[in-house]
Amino acid sequence: MKSLLCAVGAALIAFSLGAAPARASVVIAGTRVVFPAANGEVTVRLSNEGEQPALVEAWIDDGDPSSTPDTAKVPFVVTPPLVRMNAGKGQSLRIVYTGQPLPKDRESLFWLNVLEIPPKPSARPGEQQNTLQFAVRSRLKLFFRPAGLEGDLATAARQVTWAVVADGAGYALEAHNASPYHITFSKISLGADGKAYAVQSGMVAPQASLRLPVAGLGHAPPAGSTVDYTVINDFGAAAPYQGALSP
């Protein structure tokens, strides 16, 4: 089956001088998908909150934003891969793990894509209607979580260690994650010199480090300086934590 991404090109159906911004009618329940390996499959719920039907295509990729259902190579199957959703109706996507080997000592990260193709507006009799219509694509993180991992995400978030390191002409805050879980930061603040330095957000992979530049920081703060950070949990909620710079 040819991908709808190819069929719609860059998601541009027609042209108009007065186009409104693209807005999704199909809403996905949740902001991330956690896939416990022991379950073998998970379900993601969609709902069409618009006033018109929509065609929805879904697939999973391993991190390439330019992927299509024809090019993505992952150990998952999504059913149905293509479905029409009527206005006000819901639809469940079933994601099945096909069993190809994945690391057992840490989570693996994939991405769920949901592409919404709205219907083309029809012109009134005797009129020619020009419209600018977009296909809206959403990408959600999918964390494949092997059975038997030590601890949990909340414990992993509390155990992040922090350091300030030289980074070019300035300094960066480095988060080290020794756990088997991906940790997504939505907000980070470093306390130094009597003020708080806002640091950009990001995600640190299992057993890895993430380096984030700190704008305006003129020197490395002393050990024990506070780091306030917020982590997105399995349910998409923000959980606050506080840490300190390591010696």
Side-chain angles (χ1 to χ4, degrees):
M1 178 180 62
K2 293 290 185 181
S3 166
L4 283 180
L5 280 178
C6 298
V8 298
L12 183 61
I13 310 300
F15 294 91
S16 170
L17 293 177
R23 183 170 60 88
S25 296
V26 175
V27 177
I28 308 169
T31 60
R32 62 206 50 240
V33 180
V34 177
F35 194 129
N39 292 3
E41 64 179 69
V42 295
T43 299
V44 176
R45 186 69 179 169
L46 309 179
S47 59
N48 184 355
E49 299 184 0
E51 298 179 352
Q52 298 182 24
L55 194 61
V56 175
E57 186 173 32
W59 72 99
I60 295 171
D61 69 71
D62 61 359
D64 180 6
S66 63
S67 72
T68 69
D70 301 321
T71 61
K73 306 298 181 184
V74 294
F76 300 96
V77 173
V78 181
T79 56
L82 183 65
V83 64
R84 173 192 165 101
M85 291 186 63
N86 289 327
K89 299 298 183 179
Q91 173 68 46
S92 292
L93 296 179
R94 182 169 170 249
I95 303 174
V96 180
Y97 174 48
T98 58
Q100 287 93 322
L102 290 172
K104 296 182 178 181
D105 64 342
R106 69 192 69 186
E107 288 181 335
S108 297
L109 175 64
F110 298 90
W111 295 81
L112 171 64
N113 299 268
V114 177
L115 179 70
E116 173 191 345
I117 309 294
K120 184 177 180 179
S122 57
R124 295 179 180 178
E127 294 182 357
Q128 182 176 358
Q129 183 173 356
N130 294 321
T131 61
L132 179 64
Q133 193 172 19
F134 291 95
V136 181
R137 176 182 176 185
S138 300
R139 291 183 86 228
L140 278 68
K141 294 174 182 175
L142 186 155
F143 301 104
F144 183 80
R145 184 171 293 171
L149 293 185
E150 182 178 354
D152 55 25
L153 180 57
T155 302
R158 285 192 295 269
Q159 294 177 346
V160 172
T161 57
W162 301 91
V164 168
V165 297
D167 184 59
Y171 291 89
L173 182 64
E174 188 171 81
H176 180 66
N177 174 20
S179 82
Y181 300 89
H182 288 82
I183 300 176
T184 303
F185 303 105
S186 63
K187 186 178 180 181
I188 306 174
S189 177
L190 170 64
D193 302 326
K195 59 181 180 179
Y197 291 84
V199 185
Q200 69 183 53
S201 57
M203 182 181 70
V204 58
Q207 301 173 21
S209 295
L210 174 68
R211 182 173 292 190
L212 301 167
V214 183
L217 185 63
H219 62 88
S225 297
T226 59
V227 180
D228 292 290
Y229 56 104
T230 302
V231 171
I232 304 301
N233 65 22
D234 286 346
F235 306 100
Y241 296 89
Q242 187 175 81
L245 295 183
S246 302

